Amino acid sequence: MTLFIDIHRRVATIALLGLLLGTSVEAQSVTERSPNLGGTWLAEARTVHFNFVHRFNRSPAPQRKVLNSPTFVVAARTPLRTMLGFAYATNSDVVTGIPNEWELFGRFVPRLDGGGRSTLGLQLGWNVAALSADGELMGSRSFGRARLLATVRGFSNAFDGGAARMVAGGGAVVQVLRWLALSGDAVTLLDRASDERIAWSGGVQLGIPGTPHSMSIHATNTNTTTLEGLSRGTSTVRYGFEYTVPIHLDRFRRRRTPAHASQPSAAHPAAAEGHAGPDTL
C-alpha cells in the first residue's frame, strides 16, 4: 500500500509540473491512440519526445510483491517526415533471461489527403534483445468522435525463437471530450501457440489542458512497449500509466538583449512609454 501511495504522489507531482511548466503548443497526445497501438504519430520539429510507461502487477500470495515494468521511449524528428528513436525496458520478458530490452527504430509518416482524418505509419527497427529486425505498418481513420486503428507487424526472429512471425490486430479511440478519450485494442500472433494469448489493452487517455503533455491510465496483459513486447499477451494483467513529455529545444535558445536601450522617440510610442522592443534572436 505504501508503494502505491508513493506512485500516486509521483504521478500527481509530474502532472502538476506539466500544468505549471507546459505551454499551449500542440503535441503528440495519447488521446489519439490506444495504449498498445501508436505507430502513426510523428515528433514535432526541433522537439525531443520523452515518453515513459510504468506497468505494475502483484505477485501471488504470500509475498504479494508489487512489480514494476518501465519502458522509456526517446524520439526526435528527422527530415522527410521521418523520426528516429529508441525504446528501453528494464524488466522485459521478450527474451528469457534478458531483462534489459533495447529497440532502435525509425518511422515514416507520409502526408495523406483528407484533412488529417486518415493516417499511415511505417516503422522499421532492430530489437537488440531478440536479435530481430522488426517492422510495423499501421493506419487509422476517423469517423466523427471515433478513430479506428489497424496494424500489421512482422519480426524476423520473434522473441529470439529462431523463426519469423506476423501479428495483426486493431483498436478504437472514442473522443469523449477534447482532453478525454476512451480506448481499447487487441492484436494476435497469426501462428499463436496454445500458451500464447491475444494481447489487449484498455485505457482512459487524458490530455492535460494548457500543456503539451498527455497521460494514459490503462490495463493490459502485455509488458514492455516495444513492438515485440506489445504483441504477445500473458496471463498476467498489469495496470499502469504512460506520460508524454515533449521537450521543445527552442526553449534553450539564449536570447540576446541589446547593450543600450534606444532613446524615446515620437516615432516609437512604445519606446517613449518605457517598453522595450522584441528581443533579437
Side-chain angles (χ1 to χ4, degrees):
M1 180 62 70
T2 302
L3 178 59
F4 276 113
I5 292 174
D6 183 57
I7 291 168
H8 293 160
R9 286 177 178 172
R10 292 185 182 184
V11 173
T13 300
I14 291 168
L16 180 59
L17 287 174
L19 288 170
L20 294 176
L21 301 178
T23 68
S24 59
V25 178
E26 291 294 327
Q28 174 262 333
S29 173
V30 299
T31 59
E32 300 173 359
R33 55 187 173 86
S34 60
N36 285 355
L37 297 179
T40 61
W41 70 271
L42 193 64
E44 300 170 276
R46 300 181 301 281
T47 302
V48 175
H49 286 263
F50 173 58
N51 299 357
F52 58 92
V53 182
H54 284 274
R55 292 175 172 176
F56 304 89
N57 65 289
R58 190 180 66 174
S59 66
Q63 291 85 7
R64 295 187 175 89
K65 179 178 176 60
V66 175
L67 305 174
N68 175 27
S69 178
T71 305
F72 305 95
V73 178
V74 178
R77 181 74 168 265
T78 45
L80 302 177
R81 295 188 61 80
T82 61
M83 179 175 73
L84 296 178
F86 67 85
Y88 170 59
T90 64
N91 193 19
S92 173
D93 59 3
V94 165
V95 179
T96 302
I98 303 181
N100 294 297
E101 180 191 3
W102 288 87
E103 179 187 60
L104 313 177
F105 67 85
R107 183 179 297 169
F108 171 56
V109 180
R111 190 184 301 277
L112 302 179
D113 295 332
R117 295 183 61 189
S118 299
T119 59
L120 185 69
L122 173 64
Q123 178 171 314
L124 300 175
W126 178 257
N127 190 296
V128 179
L131 298 177
S132 175
D134 299 343
E136 177 183 47
L137 179 63
M138 183 172 169
S140 67
R141 174 76 175 178
S142 293
F143 299 90
R145 289 180 175 268
R147 191 172 189 85
L148 301 183
L149 315 171
T151 185
V152 176
R153 298 169 182 163
F155 313 127
S156 67
N157 183 31
F159 315 108
D160 197 27
R165 303 182 73 178
M166 298 287 293
V167 175
V173 182
V174 177
Q175 201 78 33
V176 180
L177 299 170
R178 181 178 180 184
W179 52 270
L180 172 65
L182 304 177
S183 67
D185 56 59
V187 302
T188 181
L189 289 156
L190 299 185
D191 56 349
R192 182 162 47 92
S194 59
D195 61 340
E196 294 175 326
R197 304 198 177 192
I198 293 174
W200 59 265
S201 74
V204 178
Q205 318 291 85
L206 303 168
I208 300 178
T211 83
H213 308 286
S214 60
M215 184 175 184
S216 167
I217 302 173
H218 56 263
T220 181
N221 69 339
T222 63
N223 188 15
T224 68
T225 60
T226 62
L227 288 184
E228 294 197 33
L230 294 172
S231 298
R232 182 173 63 179
T234 69
S235 59
T236 300
V237 176
R238 292 179 170 86
Y239 302 91
F241 67 91
E242 176 178 1
Y243 194 80
T244 66
V245 183
I247 303 171
H248 300 283
L249 300 181
D250 287 343
R251 290 183 177 182
F252 300 98
R253 295 180 62 183
R254 184 177 180 180
R255 296 182 174 223
R256 298 193 299 273
T257 303
H260 302 285
S262 60
Q263 295 297 322
S265 170
H268 301 281
E273 297 174 5
H275 298 292
D279 294 337
T280 303
L281 296 179

